Amino acid sequence: MSREQQPNLYALGDKFRGFWTPKVGHIWKRVLLSAALFTLAAHGFLFTNEFFSHDSISYFTYATGSVPFYISIGRFVIPAYEWLKGAVAAPWLIGLLFLLWTALSSFLLVRLFQIRSVGGQILTSGLVCTNLALTLTGATYIYCMDEYAFALLACVLAVYCFTKGRWWSMAGLVSLVASLSVYQPYFTVAASLCLLLLLRRAAKGESAGHVIASAIRYLGLLAAGFVVYFGAWTLLCTVSGVAKRRVEESVLGGLNLGKLLDLIVHANVSYVKELFDGSGILGHLLPVVHVLLLVILFWRLGKILLDQSMQMGGRVLLLLLACLIPTAFRSAEILLAGSATELMTFAGELLYLLVIVALESDEGGREREYPVRMAAMFLLCCVLWQHVVYANQVYMKKELEHQATLTLASRVIDRVELLEGYIPGETPVAFVGRLDDNSYLNHGREAFSNIQRTVGLWKDYGATYNMGRYLTDYLNYPLLWDTETDFSQWTEVQEMPAFPAADSIAMVDGTVVVKLSSCGRNEVE
């Protein structure tokens, strides 16, 4: 057929060629290369080794019965995603997928905020790939690190489509629902990006009416996306006969106005405190870096507000939007009614993206702002360096846990098999307490005291939970694991010492009881 006979096909090709210009191609190559380098620097050790712990113990081979569980917690796209990438959590493959999704996210962010400078593009890519929330995800849940990166890409794509308007907004809604269906907390990233876009438009002098209209539109699209997602989740639970779980942990579980206001205040206060926390790799140097970055942002804000060409309504709106930044960046804590973890704090580091965007001024002001730009780039490089060092120290800590747990698991097996009457795979075995609660073994390493950020990462000799899963799922030991009987309340067991004492493993009423610690928490499946 001639070109005239295929107008729609050629028009589509022309549109693509109009979008993918040589300049855009250079941006993509630059972002992809920098993403590869920063991913290798920060997460290379993780993706070229295997040290499963926490839920990764039981999910490094994806359980075939996990579909109802994922439906129940509203992450119903994950089973399809895992089916596509295979049934084993292979770190190298996860790393490649992680690189692809984070590079695409960085590329979209560069395009979304029109970041023209080479340094800004490289830093955007690096800060996305090394975000501490992703590092903590890799340290605890390696099997879903690429999934969370995919959720991030989906929410960034959703916002990108929202800015295009018209039918693009429908594609954005689909993308937002996909992100929520993989990992709900990244919804806060989409909301925060919308706020930054509004800030950018207000700072460029766009009329307050237009900015407010856009804000209403963004809010409507975000709300519509959440409603569609919640409806799809409800429908799937109804059809499959699965009850929703964890709803009570969010605002959906019911909050009064007073509680909501308390959460908002707490979120703002905790965000500010975190900016001035000196317990990181850089110590008290990081709060200094944050102070200097905030000075640059306030300087840039003041410069915009003093511009005589800006209308008063625009100035007031810009200030109001700026005041919403801490609330947006900590909105996960609000939406989850105070139960958010550090795994959900990706949006908090969008502050660094805001610095990059704020200094992407018009061509005429670049030369005058050059010293400030270079200072900001240096400060962001300090942050990026901290992220790389932090990631490597966290992964080394987890590797030490892994090796120690292998040794302890072997010792437990040896002592169980020495018990008279024990038959592997036939004699039931029960665990009382948890290895990572053993006060004798988990005394703390001084060298890692400056990376304590989240629970479940910092036990010395016990890969957080649990020993039973380590023996069965990881070491493939034929263990008949009794998870039903609560032996912790038995007098005979309460009198037993904790592992590694001589009598910490004993035959009790035909069951081998392994007392891992003296506390009441028991091993569970």
Side-chain angles (χ1 to χ4, degrees):
M1 287 186 179
S2 65
R3 183 183 180 99
E4 290 76 14
Q5 292 174 308
Q6 294 180 324
N8 293 335
L9 183 60
Y10 280 103
L12 183 62
D14 290 339
K15 284 184 178 181
F16 177 77
R17 284 189 290 272
F19 169 79
W20 197 261
T21 62
K23 182 178 180 181
V24 173
H26 290 318
I27 293 174
W28 165 245
K29 292 176 183 177
R30 193 177 298 130
V31 167
L32 179 61
L33 178 59
S34 55
L37 292 174
F38 287 119
T39 295
L40 179 63
H43 311 297
F45 185 75
L46 173 71
F47 295 142
T48 54
N49 290 277
E50 50 82 24
F51 39 92
F52 300 102
S53 68
H54 215 65
D55 282 351
S56 298
I57 296 296
S58 53
Y59 282 99
F60 78 93
T61 54
Y62 304 121
T64 56
S66 62
V67 175
F69 169 74
Y70 281 128
I71 291 176
S72 70
I73 62 174
R75 302 178 190 175
F76 44 84
V77 168
I78 288 182
Y81 181 97
E82 292 179 349
W83 175 75
L84 289 173
K85 78 171 182 179
V88 176
W92 181 245
L93 175 61
I94 290 172
L96 291 176
L97 292 171
F98 173 87
L99 169 60
L100 176 61
W101 305 146
T102 52
L104 286 170
S105 297
S106 303
F107 174 73
L108 288 175
L109 288 172
V110 167
R111 297 286 293 166
L112 187 64
F113 291 98
Q114 300 177 20
I115 299 174
R116 299 182 297 274
S117 66
V118 174
Q121 294 169 4
I122 293 174
L123 281 170
T124 297
S125 182
L127 291 167
V128 168
C129 297
T130 64
N131 189 290
L132 296 185
L134 291 175
T135 296
L136 292 171
T137 300
T140 28
Y141 306 105
I142 172 64
Y143 66 94
C144 60
M145 191 174 182
D146 59 314
E147 296 165 2
Y148 288 9
F150 179 78
L152 171 66
L153 170 62
C155 79
V156 174
L157 178 60
V159 176
Y160 183 83
C161 291
F162 290 165
T163 62
K164 297 296 182 181
R166 301 183 66 180
W167 292 106
W168 282 94
S169 296
M170 299 302 296
L173 285 176
V174 173
S175 188
L176 183 60
V177 171
S179 178
L180 282 162
S181 304
V182 174
Y183 192 53
Q184 300 95 330
Y186 279 23
F187 178 79
T188 63
V189 176
S192 298
L193 290 176
C194 288
L195 175 62
L196 295 188
L197 284 171
L198 294 171
L199 272 166
R200 183 174 179 273
R201 292 176 62 176
K204 283 184 171 293
E206 190 169 333
S207 70
H210 286 165
V211 176
I212 293 173
S214 296
I216 295 172
R217 179 172 170 272
Y218 289 155
L219 285 173
L221 288 169
L222 290 171
F226 188 84
V227 169
V228 172
Y229 157 74
F230 194 80
W233 180 21
T234 303
L235 179 62
L236 277 174
C237 287
T238 302
V239 171
S240 60
V242 175
K244 289 180 181 177
R245 299 174 59 181
R246 302 181 180 177
V247 177
E248 69 282 353
E249 297 176 4
S250 68
V251 292
L252 297 175
L255 277 180
N256 56 47
L257 181 60
K259 178 64 174 178
L260 182 60
L261 291 175
D262 288 343
L263 285 172
I264 293 174
V265 171
H266 182 266
N268 280 265
V269 172
S270 61
Y271 183 72
V272 173
K273 284 184 177 179
E274 187 174 291
L275 289 178
F276 301 105
D277 182 9
S279 63
I281 303 299
L282 297 180
H284 292 289
L285 179 58
L286 186 60
V288 173
V289 168
H290 286 156
V291 167
L292 293 176
L293 288 175
L294 289 173
V295 167
I296 291 173
L297 284 175
F298 282 120
W299 166 79
R300 185 71 180 133
L301 178 62
K303 187 176 179 182
I304 294 171
L305 292 174
L306 291 175
D307 186 354
Q308 298 298 320
S309 63
M310 177 172 278
Q311 296 179 354
M312 181 58 67
R315 296 176 187 177
V316 173
L317 180 60
L318 181 60
L319 280 174
L320 289 175
L321 291 173
C323 291
L324 290 175
I325 289 176
T327 303
F329 287 175
R330 273 285 185 173
S331 52
E333 191 170 324
I334 300 169
L335 293 175
L336 292 170
S339 62
T341 69
E342 286 82 353
L343 301 175
M344 306 170 185
T345 58
F346 189 98
E349 293 189 14
L350 291 178
L351 175 71
Y352 308 133
L353 177 64
L354 177 59
V355 174
I356 296 172
V357 173
L359 293 175
E360 289 289 322
S361 60
D362 295 333
E363 296 292 337
R366 285 196 166 199
E367 186 174 346
R368 295 191 300 273
E369 294 179 359
Y370 183 79
V372 178
R373 290 171 58 82
M374 290 301 100
M377 293 295 179
F378 173 76
L379 294 172
L380 290 175
C381 284
C382 291
V383 173
L384 191 53
W385 173 249
Q386 188 212 29
H387 285 183
V388 171
V389 175
Y390 177 83
N392 281 275
Q393 291 200 7
V394 165
Y395 298 145
M396 176 57 71
K397 178 68 170 65
K398 299 305 291 183
E399 169 66 7
L400 293 174
E401 281 184 8
H402 168 66
Q403 295 297 333
T405 306
L406 282 177
T407 302
L408 292 169
S410 299
R411 290 170 60 188
V412 169
I413 291 174
D414 288 342
R415 289 179 54 179
V416 168
E417 291 180 339
L418 289 175
L419 289 177
E420 184 178 352
Y422 174 74
I423 302 175
E426 296 184 15
T427 306
V429 178
F431 298 93
V432 173
R434 290 167 49 128
L435 187 62
D436 55 353
D437 280 332
N438 189 301
S439 58
Y440 174 77
L441 296 174
N442 294 301
H443 53 78
R445 282 193 177 100
E446 295 275 332
F448 295 99
S449 61
N450 61 344
I451 58 173
Q452 296 186 25
R453 284 184 66 89
T454 185
V455 72
L457 283 177
W458 315 116
K459 305 299 184 180
D460 273 347
Y461 295 104
T464 54
Y465 55 85
N466 53 49
M467 179 59 73
R469 282 292 190 187
Y470 225 92
L471 295 177
T472 55
D473 293 27
Y474 189 84
L475 296 179
N476 201 34
Y477 184 75
L479 182 75
L480 182 59
W481 187 9
D482 182 356
T483 60
E484 301 296 328
T485 310
D486 183 8
F487 285 93
S488 65
Q489 303 303 313
W490 291 33
T491 303
E492 184 177 352
V493 174
Q494 290 178 344
E495 293 176 353
M496 290 169 56
F499 186 84
D503 299 326
S504 59
I505 300 177
M507 188 75 73
V508 179
D509 196 24
T511 298
V512 176
V513 175
V514 181
K515 191 169 184 179
L516 298 174
S517 69
S518 299
C519 70
R521 286 199 306 167
N522 292 335
E523 295 282 9
V524 294
E525 287 194 274

